Amino acid sequence: MLFDTHVHLNADQFADDLEETIARAHEADVKYMTVVGFDRKTIPLAIQIAEDYDHIYAAVGWHPVDAIDMTEEDLQWIEELSSHPKVVAIGEMGLDYHWDKSPADVQKEVFRKQIQLAKKLKMPIIIHNREATDDIVEILKEENAAEVGGIMHCYSGPVETAKECIDMNFMISLGGPVTFKNAKLPKEVAEAVDLEHLLVETDCPFLAPHPNRGKRNEPAYVKLVAEQVAELKGLTYEEVSKRTTENALKFFRIKS
Ligand SMILES: [Zn+2]
Ligand SMILES: [Zn+2]
């Protein structure tokens, strides 16, 4: 059985067929999921879905692309929601230098505030990183994020940095890109990082794995990610699905 550790079933793309999407996930061996909320609209939806379905959990945080919109009230709101019994992590948070809606200094400030909040709450964090690996690692170190640990979601950086993150109590979560023919780094990471530090995810509706690349992604496809990881590590799918699910349950402190 599988745990898709990063889904956006709270996205508009699933508004019309959420029920069927979750049923397809179950048919594809996916038992657990974490729905990630990242702004005023998607956070309540993440919690709603977690309340409506068994084995679906929620994470609450503020996305770096929209960092410029986050107010002190939003941060307080995230803090209040963190005590909900199905909220298992703070995030996604981080840095995204691909889009320029929020200046880097604003993103860094909002990132640091959320790490500090997670430390106060003693909850793990989920990191979104796009073209900002060095700054993210620096901030995780400066803020001593190792105290709570976290997930490098949809990790696509080098092996070296993955190891640095593991040393700070972070899990490495692999998504659709590990299945792309031209994606060298995620494949290297899948090979080099020990299974005990790995998780799998879809980040659906984005980044659909091969051979569904370009289509709407959905949790059922996390099986393709796990199969690819198994192939790269020379292990069976059963071993990879079992171990990554155990890792995720332990990480999110879920009693199965
Ligand atoms: Zn993300
Ligand atoms: Zn996400």
Side-chain angles (χ1 to χ4, degrees), residues 6 8 36 63-64 92 96 126-129 153-154 201 203:
H6 197 109
H8 295 293
V36 180
H63 203 284
E92 56 190 299
D96 189 319
I126 298 175
I127 305 298
H128 171 100
N129 167 23
H153 119 74
C154 206
E201 66 168 81
D203 197 18

Side-chain angles (χ1 to χ4, degrees), residues 133-182:
T133 306
D134 292 348
D135 286 0
I136 286 198
V137 170
E138 188 183 307
I139 289 176
L140 291 176
K141 280 183 185 159
E142 284 175 8
E143 296 292 338
N144 189 26
E147 204 179 293
V148 287
I151 296 176
M152 301 305 287
H153 119 74
C154 206
Y155 185 77
S156 54
V159 170
E160 204 54 27
T161 311
K163 291 190 168 159
E164 252 185 292
C165 295
I166 290 165
D167 287 342
M168 287 190 281
N169 266 326
F170 275 71
M171 302 293 287
I172 304 299
S173 185
L174 294 169
V178 77
T179 68
F180 299 166
K181 289 203 167 62
N182 56 354

Side-chain angles (χ1 to χ4, degrees), residues 2-56:
L2 290 157
F3 195 135
D4 188 344
T5 61
H6 197 109
V7 302
H8 295 293
L9 291 177
N10 46 353
D12 291 342
Q13 287 90 331
F14 295 110
D16 295 330
D17 65 347
L18 181 65
E19 188 95 43
E20 295 88 331
T21 302
I22 292 169
R24 278 194 299 277
H26 291 157
E27 281 162 31
D29 206 24
V30 184
K31 180 172 178 183
Y32 302 96
M33 299 172 228
T34 298
V35 184
V36 180
F38 52 85
D39 63 13
R40 270 167 230 136
K41 185 182 167 196
T42 57
I43 287 171
L45 279 170
I47 291 184
Q48 184 64 53
I49 295 167
E51 284 178 350
D52 289 348
Y53 293 90
D54 286 342
H55 312 303
I56 297 189

